[in-house]
Short mmCIF file of all heavy atoms in Angstrom, two decimals:
data_model
loop_
_atom_site.label_atom_id
_atom_site.label_comp_id
_atom_site.label_asym_id
_atom_site.label_seq_id
_atom_site.Cartn_x
_atom_site.Cartn_y
_atom_site.Cartn_z
N MET A 1 212.27 10.70 -188.78
CA MET A 1 211.61 9.75 -187.92
C MET A 1 212.41 8.44 -187.93
O MET A 1 212.89 8.01 -188.96
CB MET A 1 210.19 9.50 -188.43
CG MET A 1 209.38 8.54 -187.60
SD MET A 1 209.18 8.95 -185.87
CE MET A 1 208.29 10.49 -185.98
N ILE A 2 212.49 7.84 -186.78
CA ILE A 2 213.15 6.54 -186.66
C ILE A 2 212.07 5.47 -186.67
O ILE A 2 211.04 5.61 -186.02
CB ILE A 2 213.96 6.46 -185.35
CG1 ILE A 2 215.07 7.53 -185.37
CG2 ILE A 2 214.57 5.08 -185.16
CD1 ILE A 2 215.78 7.69 -184.03
N TYR A 3 212.31 4.42 -187.45
CA TYR A 3 211.36 3.32 -187.59
C TYR A 3 211.99 2.04 -187.08
O TYR A 3 213.20 1.86 -187.14
CB TYR A 3 210.95 3.13 -189.04
CG TYR A 3 210.22 4.33 -189.60
CD1 TYR A 3 210.94 5.35 -190.21
CD2 TYR A 3 208.86 4.45 -189.49
CE1 TYR A 3 210.28 6.47 -190.70
CE2 TYR A 3 208.20 5.56 -189.96
CZ TYR A 3 208.92 6.58 -190.58
OH TYR A 3 208.28 7.67 -191.05
N ARG A 4 211.17 1.16 -186.56
CA ARG A 4 211.61 -0.15 -186.08
C ARG A 4 210.77 -1.22 -186.74
O ARG A 4 209.58 -0.98 -187.03
CB ARG A 4 211.47 -0.24 -184.57
CG ARG A 4 212.37 0.72 -183.84
CD ARG A 4 212.24 0.55 -182.35
NE ARG A 4 213.07 1.53 -181.69
CZ ARG A 4 213.59 1.36 -180.51
NH1 ARG A 4 213.34 0.25 -179.83
NH2 ARG A 4 214.35 2.30 -179.97
N THR A 5 211.34 -2.39 -186.90
CA THR A 5 210.60 -3.51 -187.45
C THR A 5 209.81 -4.18 -186.33
O THR A 5 210.34 -4.44 -185.25
CB THR A 5 211.55 -4.53 -188.11
OG1 THR A 5 212.30 -3.85 -189.10
CG2 THR A 5 210.78 -5.67 -188.72
N LEU A 6 208.54 -4.43 -186.58
CA LEU A 6 207.62 -4.99 -185.60
C LEU A 6 207.77 -6.52 -185.59
O LEU A 6 207.26 -7.21 -186.47
CB LEU A 6 206.20 -4.59 -185.92
CG LEU A 6 205.11 -4.92 -184.93
CD1 LEU A 6 205.35 -4.22 -183.59
CD2 LEU A 6 203.76 -4.50 -185.48
N GLY A 7 208.53 -7.01 -184.62
CA GLY A 7 208.74 -8.46 -184.50
C GLY A 7 209.31 -9.04 -185.78
O GLY A 7 210.19 -8.47 -186.41
N ARG A 8 208.75 -10.18 -186.20
CA ARG A 8 209.19 -10.83 -187.44
C ARG A 8 208.25 -10.53 -188.60
O ARG A 8 208.34 -11.17 -189.65
CB ARG A 8 209.24 -12.35 -187.22
CG ARG A 8 210.24 -12.77 -186.19
CD ARG A 8 210.29 -14.27 -186.12
NE ARG A 8 210.71 -14.67 -184.78
CZ ARG A 8 210.66 -15.89 -184.32
NH1 ARG A 8 210.18 -16.86 -185.09
NH2 ARG A 8 211.05 -16.17 -183.11
N THR A 9 207.39 -9.56 -188.42
CA THR A 9 206.38 -9.27 -189.46
C THR A 9 206.94 -8.53 -190.66
O THR A 9 206.35 -8.57 -191.72
CB THR A 9 205.24 -8.39 -188.88
OG1 THR A 9 205.77 -7.11 -188.53
CG2 THR A 9 204.60 -9.04 -187.67
N GLY A 10 208.04 -7.82 -190.45
CA GLY A 10 208.58 -6.99 -191.53
C GLY A 10 207.90 -5.63 -191.60
O GLY A 10 208.28 -4.79 -192.40
N ILE A 11 206.89 -5.41 -190.76
CA ILE A 11 206.19 -4.12 -190.76
C ILE A 11 207.04 -3.11 -190.01
O ILE A 11 207.49 -3.34 -188.90
CB ILE A 11 204.81 -4.27 -190.07
CG1 ILE A 11 203.94 -5.25 -190.85
CG2 ILE A 11 204.12 -2.92 -189.94
CD1 ILE A 11 202.64 -5.61 -190.12
N ARG A 12 207.24 -1.95 -190.66
CA ARG A 12 208.04 -0.91 -190.04
C ARG A 12 207.11 0.13 -189.38
O ARG A 12 206.20 0.64 -190.03
CB ARG A 12 208.94 -0.26 -191.05
CG ARG A 12 210.02 -1.25 -191.54
CD ARG A 12 210.94 -0.72 -192.59
NE ARG A 12 211.44 0.60 -192.38
CZ ARG A 12 212.51 0.91 -191.64
NH1 ARG A 12 213.18 -0.02 -191.02
NH2 ARG A 12 212.90 2.19 -191.50
N VAL A 13 207.33 0.40 -188.10
CA VAL A 13 206.52 1.36 -187.37
C VAL A 13 207.39 2.46 -186.82
O VAL A 13 208.57 2.25 -186.48
CB VAL A 13 205.72 0.70 -186.21
CG1 VAL A 13 204.71 -0.27 -186.75
CG2 VAL A 13 206.63 0.02 -185.24
N SER A 14 206.84 3.65 -186.74
CA SER A 14 207.57 4.79 -186.19
C SER A 14 207.74 4.62 -184.68
O SER A 14 206.90 4.02 -184.02
CB SER A 14 206.81 6.09 -186.49
OG SER A 14 205.47 6.03 -186.05
N GLU A 15 208.86 5.12 -184.16
CA GLU A 15 209.08 5.05 -182.71
C GLU A 15 208.06 5.88 -181.96
O GLU A 15 207.76 5.60 -180.82
CB GLU A 15 210.49 5.54 -182.38
CG GLU A 15 211.57 4.54 -182.64
CD GLU A 15 212.89 4.95 -182.06
OE1 GLU A 15 213.11 6.17 -181.80
OE2 GLU A 15 213.73 4.07 -181.86
N ILE A 16 207.54 6.90 -182.60
CA ILE A 16 206.51 7.75 -181.99
C ILE A 16 205.17 7.30 -182.57
O ILE A 16 205.03 7.15 -183.79
CB ILE A 16 206.76 9.23 -182.27
CG1 ILE A 16 208.08 9.66 -181.65
CG2 ILE A 16 205.60 10.09 -181.77
CD1 ILE A 16 208.52 11.05 -182.01
N GLY A 17 204.19 7.12 -181.73
CA GLY A 17 202.86 6.72 -182.17
C GLY A 17 201.82 7.70 -181.64
O GLY A 17 202.11 8.55 -180.81
N MET A 18 200.61 7.53 -182.12
CA MET A 18 199.50 8.38 -181.67
C MET A 18 198.48 7.51 -180.96
O MET A 18 198.00 6.52 -181.53
CB MET A 18 198.86 9.05 -182.88
CG MET A 18 197.63 9.86 -182.54
SD MET A 18 198.08 11.25 -181.49
CE MET A 18 196.69 12.29 -181.71
N GLY A 19 198.20 7.86 -179.71
CA GLY A 19 197.12 7.20 -178.98
C GLY A 19 195.81 7.84 -179.35
O GLY A 19 195.77 9.00 -179.75
N CYS A 20 194.74 7.11 -179.21
CA CYS A 20 193.43 7.63 -179.64
C CYS A 20 192.70 8.43 -178.56
O CYS A 20 191.60 8.90 -178.82
CB CYS A 20 192.58 6.49 -180.14
SG CYS A 20 193.15 5.91 -181.72
N GLU A 21 193.27 8.58 -177.40
CA GLU A 21 192.60 9.40 -176.39
C GLU A 21 192.33 10.80 -176.92
O GLU A 21 191.32 11.42 -176.59
CB GLU A 21 193.45 9.51 -175.12
CG GLU A 21 193.23 8.38 -174.15
CD GLU A 21 193.95 8.63 -172.85
OE1 GLU A 21 193.68 9.66 -172.20
OE2 GLU A 21 194.80 7.79 -172.53
N GLY A 22 193.24 11.30 -177.75
CA GLY A 22 193.08 12.63 -178.33
C GLY A 22 191.93 12.74 -179.30
O GLY A 22 191.53 13.84 -179.65
N PHE A 23 191.41 11.62 -179.76
CA PHE A 23 190.31 11.63 -180.72
C PHE A 23 188.93 11.63 -180.08
O PHE A 23 187.95 11.93 -180.73
CB PHE A 23 190.40 10.41 -181.65
CG PHE A 23 191.64 10.35 -182.49
CD1 PHE A 23 192.10 9.14 -182.93
CD2 PHE A 23 192.34 11.48 -182.85
CE1 PHE A 23 193.25 9.03 -183.71
CE2 PHE A 23 193.49 11.41 -183.64
CZ PHE A 23 193.93 10.18 -184.06
N VAL A 24 188.85 11.28 -178.80
CA VAL A 24 187.56 11.18 -178.10
C VAL A 24 186.95 12.58 -177.96
O VAL A 24 187.62 13.53 -177.59
CB VAL A 24 187.72 10.51 -176.71
CG1 VAL A 24 186.41 10.51 -175.96
CG2 VAL A 24 188.26 9.09 -176.88
N ASP A 25 185.68 12.68 -178.27
CA ASP A 25 184.92 13.94 -178.20
C ASP A 25 185.47 15.03 -179.11
O ASP A 25 185.22 16.22 -178.85
CB ASP A 25 184.85 14.45 -176.74
CG ASP A 25 184.10 13.50 -175.82
OD1 ASP A 25 183.15 12.86 -176.32
OD2 ASP A 25 184.46 13.41 -174.64
N GLN A 26 186.19 14.64 -180.15
CA GLN A 26 186.70 15.61 -181.13
C GLN A 26 185.87 15.49 -182.41
O GLN A 26 185.51 14.40 -182.81
CB GLN A 26 188.17 15.35 -181.44
CG GLN A 26 189.10 15.51 -180.28
CD GLN A 26 189.12 16.94 -179.75
OE1 GLN A 26 189.05 17.90 -180.53
NE2 GLN A 26 189.21 17.09 -178.46
N PRO A 27 185.61 16.61 -183.06
CA PRO A 27 184.90 16.55 -184.35
C PRO A 27 185.82 15.95 -185.41
O PRO A 27 187.05 15.94 -185.26
CB PRO A 27 184.57 18.01 -184.64
CG PRO A 27 185.61 18.78 -183.90
CD PRO A 27 185.93 17.98 -182.67
N TYR A 28 185.21 15.51 -186.49
CA TYR A 28 185.98 14.91 -187.59
C TYR A 28 187.13 15.81 -188.03
O TYR A 28 188.23 15.33 -188.30
CB TYR A 28 185.05 14.60 -188.76
CG TYR A 28 185.81 14.32 -190.02
CD1 TYR A 28 186.54 13.13 -190.18
CD2 TYR A 28 185.84 15.24 -191.06
CE1 TYR A 28 187.25 12.88 -191.31
CE2 TYR A 28 186.57 14.99 -192.20
CZ TYR A 28 187.27 13.81 -192.33
OH TYR A 28 187.99 13.57 -193.46
N GLU A 29 186.88 17.10 -188.15
CA GLU A 29 187.90 18.03 -188.65
C GLU A 29 189.16 18.00 -187.78
O GLU A 29 190.27 18.11 -188.28
CB GLU A 29 187.33 19.46 -188.73
CG GLU A 29 186.27 19.65 -189.77
CD GLU A 29 184.90 19.07 -189.36
OE1 GLU A 29 184.66 18.88 -188.14
OE2 GLU A 29 184.08 18.82 -190.26
N GLN A 30 188.99 17.85 -186.49
CA GLN A 30 190.15 17.79 -185.57
C GLN A 30 190.90 16.47 -185.75
O GLN A 30 192.13 16.45 -185.76
CB GLN A 30 189.68 17.95 -184.12
CG GLN A 30 190.84 18.06 -183.14
CD GLN A 30 191.69 19.30 -183.39
OE1 GLN A 30 191.16 20.40 -183.54
NE2 GLN A 30 192.97 19.13 -183.41
N VAL A 31 190.17 15.37 -185.89
CA VAL A 31 190.79 14.07 -186.12
C VAL A 31 191.57 14.13 -187.45
O VAL A 31 192.73 13.66 -187.52
CB VAL A 31 189.75 12.94 -186.14
CG1 VAL A 31 190.39 11.62 -186.52
CG2 VAL A 31 189.05 12.84 -184.78
N LEU A 32 190.98 14.70 -188.47
CA LEU A 32 191.65 14.84 -189.77
C LEU A 32 192.94 15.66 -189.61
O LEU A 32 193.99 15.30 -190.16
CB LEU A 32 190.72 15.50 -190.77
CG LEU A 32 191.31 15.75 -192.16
CD1 LEU A 32 191.70 14.44 -192.83
CD2 LEU A 32 190.31 16.53 -193.01
N SER A 33 192.87 16.71 -188.84
CA SER A 33 194.06 17.54 -188.60
C SER A 33 195.16 16.74 -187.90
O SER A 33 196.35 16.86 -188.25
CB SER A 33 193.68 18.76 -187.76
OG SER A 33 194.80 19.54 -187.45
N PHE A 34 194.79 15.95 -186.91
CA PHE A 34 195.76 15.09 -186.21
C PHE A 34 196.43 14.13 -187.19
O PHE A 34 197.65 13.99 -187.20
CB PHE A 34 195.09 14.25 -185.12
CG PHE A 34 194.75 14.97 -183.83
CD1 PHE A 34 193.64 14.56 -183.10
CD2 PHE A 34 195.49 16.03 -183.37
CE1 PHE A 34 193.29 15.20 -181.92
CE2 PHE A 34 195.16 16.67 -182.19
CZ PHE A 34 194.06 16.26 -181.47
N VAL A 35 195.63 13.47 -188.02
CA VAL A 35 196.16 12.49 -188.96
C VAL A 35 197.04 13.18 -190.01
O VAL A 35 198.11 12.67 -190.35
CB VAL A 35 195.02 11.68 -189.61
CG1 VAL A 35 195.54 10.77 -190.71
CG2 VAL A 35 194.29 10.86 -188.55
N ASP A 36 196.63 14.34 -190.47
CA ASP A 36 197.48 15.09 -191.42
C ASP A 36 198.83 15.41 -190.80
O ASP A 36 199.88 15.27 -191.44
CB ASP A 36 196.79 16.40 -191.83
CG ASP A 36 195.61 16.21 -192.74
OD1 ASP A 36 195.45 15.11 -193.34
OD2 ASP A 36 194.81 17.17 -192.88
N LYS A 37 198.82 15.86 -189.55
CA LYS A 37 200.05 16.21 -188.85
C LYS A 37 200.93 14.97 -188.66
O LYS A 37 202.15 15.01 -188.85
CB LYS A 37 199.74 16.85 -187.52
CG LYS A 37 200.91 17.40 -186.75
CD LYS A 37 201.54 18.56 -187.45
CE LYS A 37 200.67 19.80 -187.25
NZ LYS A 37 201.34 21.02 -187.72
N MET A 38 200.31 13.85 -188.29
CA MET A 38 201.06 12.60 -188.12
C MET A 38 201.75 12.23 -189.44
O MET A 38 202.95 11.92 -189.45
CB MET A 38 200.11 11.46 -187.72
CG MET A 38 199.59 11.57 -186.33
SD MET A 38 198.26 10.40 -186.02
CE MET A 38 198.96 8.85 -186.53
N GLU A 39 201.00 12.26 -190.52
CA GLU A 39 201.56 11.87 -191.82
C GLU A 39 202.71 12.80 -192.22
O GLU A 39 203.75 12.34 -192.68
CB GLU A 39 200.48 11.90 -192.89
CG GLU A 39 200.99 11.43 -194.23
CD GLU A 39 199.92 11.39 -195.31
OE1 GLU A 39 198.82 11.96 -195.12
OE2 GLU A 39 200.19 10.76 -196.34
N SER A 40 202.55 14.09 -192.02
CA SER A 40 203.57 15.04 -192.41
C SER A 40 204.86 14.88 -191.62
O SER A 40 205.94 15.26 -192.09
CB SER A 40 203.05 16.48 -192.32
OG SER A 40 202.91 16.88 -190.99
N HIS A 41 204.77 14.31 -190.41
CA HIS A 41 205.95 14.10 -189.58
C HIS A 41 206.45 12.65 -189.57
O HIS A 41 207.34 12.31 -188.82
CB HIS A 41 205.68 14.58 -188.15
CG HIS A 41 205.56 16.05 -188.03
ND1 HIS A 41 206.64 16.90 -188.09
CD2 HIS A 41 204.48 16.85 -187.90
CE1 HIS A 41 206.25 18.15 -187.99
NE2 HIS A 41 204.92 18.16 -187.88
N GLY A 42 205.84 11.81 -190.39
CA GLY A 42 206.30 10.44 -190.52
C GLY A 42 205.81 9.47 -189.47
O GLY A 42 206.27 8.34 -189.39
N VAL A 43 204.86 9.90 -188.64
CA VAL A 43 204.29 9.01 -187.62
C VAL A 43 203.29 8.09 -188.32
O VAL A 43 202.37 8.56 -188.99
CB VAL A 43 203.58 9.81 -186.50
CG1 VAL A 43 202.91 8.88 -185.51
CG2 VAL A 43 204.58 10.73 -185.80
N ASN A 44 203.50 6.76 -188.19
CA ASN A 44 202.60 5.84 -188.88
C ASN A 44 201.92 4.83 -187.95
O ASN A 44 201.20 3.97 -188.39
CB ASN A 44 203.35 5.08 -189.99
CG ASN A 44 204.32 4.06 -189.44
OD1 ASN A 44 204.68 4.03 -188.28
ND2 ASN A 44 204.78 3.18 -190.32
N CYS A 45 202.17 4.96 -186.65
CA CYS A 45 201.64 3.99 -185.67
C CYS A 45 200.49 4.63 -184.89
O CYS A 45 200.67 5.66 -184.23
CB CYS A 45 202.77 3.59 -184.74
SG CYS A 45 202.28 2.35 -183.52
N ILE A 46 199.31 4.01 -184.97
CA ILE A 46 198.15 4.51 -184.26
C ILE A 46 197.65 3.44 -183.30
O ILE A 46 197.37 2.31 -183.71
CB ILE A 46 197.01 4.88 -185.25
CG1 ILE A 46 197.48 5.96 -186.21
CG2 ILE A 46 195.76 5.33 -184.47
CD1 ILE A 46 196.47 6.28 -187.31
N ASP A 47 197.56 3.80 -182.01
CA ASP A 47 197.05 2.89 -180.99
C ASP A 47 195.54 3.11 -180.90
O ASP A 47 195.07 4.04 -180.27
CB ASP A 47 197.73 3.19 -179.65
CG ASP A 47 197.24 2.31 -178.54
OD1 ASP A 47 196.45 1.38 -178.80
OD2 ASP A 47 197.63 2.56 -177.38
N LEU A 48 194.81 2.23 -181.55
CA LEU A 48 193.35 2.36 -181.61
C LEU A 48 192.73 1.45 -180.56
O LEU A 48 192.31 0.34 -180.83
CB LEU A 48 192.86 1.97 -183.01
CG LEU A 48 191.38 2.14 -183.30
CD1 LEU A 48 190.96 3.58 -183.09
CD2 LEU A 48 191.07 1.69 -184.71
N TYR A 49 192.70 1.94 -179.32
CA TYR A 49 192.22 1.11 -178.19
C TYR A 49 190.72 1.15 -178.02
O TYR A 49 190.14 0.29 -177.38
CB TYR A 49 192.86 1.60 -176.89
CG TYR A 49 192.23 2.91 -176.42
CD1 TYR A 49 191.15 2.88 -175.54
CD2 TYR A 49 192.63 4.12 -176.93
CE1 TYR A 49 190.53 4.04 -175.16
CE2 TYR A 49 192.01 5.29 -176.54
CZ TYR A 49 190.96 5.24 -175.64
OH TYR A 49 190.34 6.40 -175.29
N THR A 50 190.07 2.14 -178.56
CA THR A 50 188.70 2.42 -178.21
C THR A 50 187.68 1.66 -179.07
O THR A 50 187.92 1.42 -180.24
CB THR A 50 188.40 3.92 -178.28
OG1 THR A 50 187.07 4.17 -177.82
CG2 THR A 50 188.52 4.45 -179.69
N SER A 51 186.57 1.30 -178.45
CA SER A 51 185.47 0.73 -179.22
C SER A 51 184.43 1.78 -179.54
O SER A 51 183.38 1.49 -180.09
CB SER A 51 184.82 -0.40 -178.42
OG SER A 51 184.33 0.10 -177.18
N ASN A 52 184.72 3.05 -179.18
CA ASN A 52 183.82 4.17 -179.44
C ASN A 52 183.55 4.28 -180.94
O ASN A 52 184.47 4.56 -181.71
CB ASN A 52 184.46 5.45 -178.89
CG ASN A 52 183.57 6.66 -179.09
OD1 ASN A 52 183.09 6.93 -180.18
ND2 ASN A 52 183.38 7.42 -178.03
N PRO A 53 182.30 4.09 -181.38
CA PRO A 53 182.01 4.10 -182.82
C PRO A 53 182.28 5.45 -183.49
O PRO A 53 182.67 5.47 -184.65
CB PRO A 53 180.53 3.69 -182.91
CG PRO A 53 179.98 3.92 -181.55
CD PRO A 53 181.13 3.83 -180.58
N GLU A 54 182.08 6.55 -182.76
CA GLU A 54 182.34 7.86 -183.36
C GLU A 54 183.82 8.06 -183.64
O GLU A 54 184.21 8.56 -184.71
CB GLU A 54 181.81 8.97 -182.46
CG GLU A 54 181.96 10.35 -183.08
CD GLU A 54 181.39 11.46 -182.22
OE1 GLU A 54 180.77 11.17 -181.17
OE2 GLU A 54 181.57 12.62 -182.62
N VAL A 55 184.66 7.65 -182.69
CA VAL A 55 186.11 7.78 -182.88
C VAL A 55 186.54 6.92 -184.06
O VAL A 55 187.28 7.37 -184.92
CB VAL A 55 186.88 7.35 -181.59
CG1 VAL A 55 188.37 7.24 -181.87
CG2 VAL A 55 186.62 8.33 -180.46
N ARG A 56 186.05 5.70 -184.12
CA ARG A 56 186.43 4.79 -185.22
C ARG A 56 185.94 5.34 -186.58
O ARG A 56 186.67 5.26 -187.56
CB ARG A 56 185.86 3.41 -184.97
CG ARG A 56 186.57 2.69 -183.86
CD ARG A 56 185.97 1.33 -183.58
NE ARG A 56 186.76 0.61 -182.61
CZ ARG A 56 187.74 -0.24 -182.90
NH1 ARG A 56 188.05 -0.45 -184.14
NH2 ARG A 56 188.39 -0.83 -181.95
N SER A 57 184.77 5.88 -186.62
CA SER A 57 184.24 6.45 -187.87
C SER A 57 185.05 7.65 -188.30
O SER A 57 185.40 7.78 -189.50
CB SER A 57 182.77 6.84 -187.72
OG SER A 57 181.96 5.71 -187.57
N ASN A 58 185.32 8.55 -187.38
CA ASN A 58 186.10 9.74 -187.71
C ASN A 58 187.52 9.37 -188.16
O ASN A 58 188.03 9.95 -189.14
CB ASN A 58 186.19 10.70 -186.52
CG ASN A 58 184.90 11.44 -186.29
OD1 ASN A 58 184.04 11.53 -187.17
ND2 ASN A 58 184.73 11.97 -185.09
N LEU A 59 188.15 8.42 -187.49
CA LEU A 59 189.47 7.99 -187.88
C LEU A 59 189.44 7.32 -189.25
O LEU A 59 190.30 7.57 -190.09
CB LEU A 59 190.07 7.05 -186.83
CG LEU A 59 191.49 6.57 -187.13
CD1 LEU A 59 192.46 7.74 -187.23
CD2 LEU A 59 191.94 5.60 -186.05
N GLY A 60 188.45 6.49 -189.47
CA GLY A 60 188.30 5.83 -190.78
C GLY A 60 188.18 6.84 -191.91
O GLY A 60 188.82 6.70 -192.96
N ARG A 61 187.37 7.87 -191.71
CA ARG A 61 187.23 8.92 -192.71
C ARG A 61 188.54 9.65 -192.93
O ARG A 61 188.92 9.94 -194.05
CB ARG A 61 186.16 9.93 -192.29
CG ARG A 61 184.76 9.47 -192.48
CD ARG A 61 183.75 10.51 -192.01
NE ARG A 61 183.85 11.75 -192.77
CZ ARG A 61 183.32 12.91 -192.37
NH1 ARG A 61 182.67 12.99 -191.21
NH2 ARG A 61 183.45 13.98 -193.10
N ALA A 62 189.25 9.95 -191.85
CA ALA A 62 190.53 10.68 -191.94
C ALA A 62 191.60 9.86 -192.65
O ALA A 62 192.50 10.42 -193.28
CB ALA A 62 190.99 11.08 -190.55
N LEU A 63 191.52 8.54 -192.54
CA LEU A 63 192.50 7.66 -193.19
C LEU A 63 192.15 7.30 -194.62
O LEU A 63 192.97 6.72 -195.34
CB LEU A 63 192.66 6.37 -192.38
CG LEU A 63 193.32 6.50 -191.02
CD1 LEU A 63 193.29 5.16 -190.29
CD2 LEU A 63 194.73 7.04 -191.13
N ARG A 64 190.97 7.67 -195.06
CA ARG A 64 190.50 7.30 -196.41
C ARG A 64 191.53 7.75 -197.45
O ARG A 64 191.98 8.89 -197.46
CB ARG A 64 189.15 7.95 -196.69
CG ARG A 64 188.45 7.36 -197.89
CD ARG A 64 187.01 7.81 -197.99
NE ARG A 64 186.25 7.23 -196.89
CZ ARG A 64 185.24 7.86 -196.28
NH1 ARG A 64 184.88 9.07 -196.63
NH2 ARG A 64 184.58 7.27 -195.32
N GLY A 65 191.91 6.82 -198.31
CA GLY A 65 192.84 7.12 -199.39
C GLY A 65 194.31 7.01 -198.99
O GLY A 65 195.19 7.13 -199.83
N ARG A 66 194.59 6.77 -197.71
CA ARG A 66 195.97 6.66 -197.26
C ARG A 66 196.12 5.63 -196.17
O ARG A 66 197.12 5.62 -195.43
CB ARG A 66 196.48 8.02 -196.80
CG ARG A 66 195.62 8.68 -195.73
CD ARG A 66 196.12 10.05 -195.38
NE ARG A 66 195.17 10.75 -194.54
CZ ARG A 66 195.39 11.94 -194.04
NH1 ARG A 66 196.51 12.55 -194.29
NH2 ARG A 66 194.48 12.51 -193.29
N ARG A 67 195.18 4.76 -196.02
CA ARG A 67 195.17 3.75 -194.96
C ARG A 67 196.45 2.90 -194.94
O ARG A 67 196.96 2.57 -193.89
CB ARG A 67 193.93 2.87 -195.10
CG ARG A 67 193.90 1.61 -194.25
CD ARG A 67 193.95 1.94 -192.75
NE ARG A 67 193.99 0.73 -191.96
CZ ARG A 67 195.12 0.14 -191.56
NH1 ARG A 67 196.30 0.63 -191.89
NH2 ARG A 67 195.08 -0.94 -190.84
N GLU A 68 196.97 2.60 -196.13
CA GLU A 68 198.16 1.74 -196.22
C GLU A 68 199.42 2.39 -195.63
O GLU A 68 200.41 1.70 -195.40
CB GLU A 68 198.43 1.34 -197.68
CG GLU A 68 198.91 2.47 -198.57
CD GLU A 68 197.83 3.47 -198.99
OE1 GLU A 68 196.61 3.22 -198.81
OE2 GLU A 68 198.21 4.56 -199.47
N LYS A 69 199.37 3.65 -195.36
CA LYS A 69 200.52 4.37 -194.78
C LYS A 69 200.61 4.22 -193.26
O LYS A 69 201.59 4.63 -192.66
CB LYS A 69 200.47 5.86 -195.13
CG LYS A 69 200.59 6.11 -196.60
CD LYS A 69 200.50 7.60 -196.87
CE LYS A 69 200.60 7.89 -198.36
NZ LYS A 69 200.57 9.33 -198.62
N PHE A 70 199.56 3.68 -192.63
CA PHE A 70 199.47 3.64 -191.19
C PHE A 70 199.31 2.21 -190.67
O PHE A 70 198.72 1.36 -191.32
CB PHE A 70 198.30 4.49 -190.69
CG PHE A 70 198.46 5.95 -190.97
CD1 PHE A 70 198.00 6.50 -192.15
CD2 PHE A 70 199.11 6.77 -190.08
CE1 PHE A 70 198.15 7.85 -192.43
CE2 PHE A 70 199.28 8.11 -190.32
CZ PHE A 70 198.81 8.66 -191.51
N VAL A 71 199.83 1.99 -189.48
CA VAL A 71 199.70 0.71 -188.79
C VAL A 71 198.81 0.95 -187.59
O VAL A 71 199.10 1.81 -186.74
CB VAL A 71 201.08 0.17 -188.33
CG1 VAL A 71 200.93 -1.13 -187.57
CG2 VAL A 71 202.01 0.03 -189.51
N LEU A 72 197.70 0.20 -187.51
CA LEU A 72 196.76 0.37 -186.38
C LEU A 72 196.95 -0.75 -185.41
O LEU A 72 197.15 -1.87 -185.75
CB LEU A 72 195.32 0.34 -186.87
CG LEU A 72 194.94 1.36 -187.91
CD1 LEU A 72 193.48 1.18 -188.31
CD2 LEU A 72 195.18 2.76 -187.43
#
């Protein structure tokens, strides 16, 4: 995976990111699977555009214990 520095922040983000459209109307298990796949391939950038509480809850659960590995 290729990473780039985000402005002057020093935060390194993957060139490939995950948009949250794929999380809408998905059960927690599917969101967890997406996040597992992202982590295994070095994707650390998540575009969390939605205010949908179910998506946010499922993503939060999927990131539990590894939140520091991802940039939202």
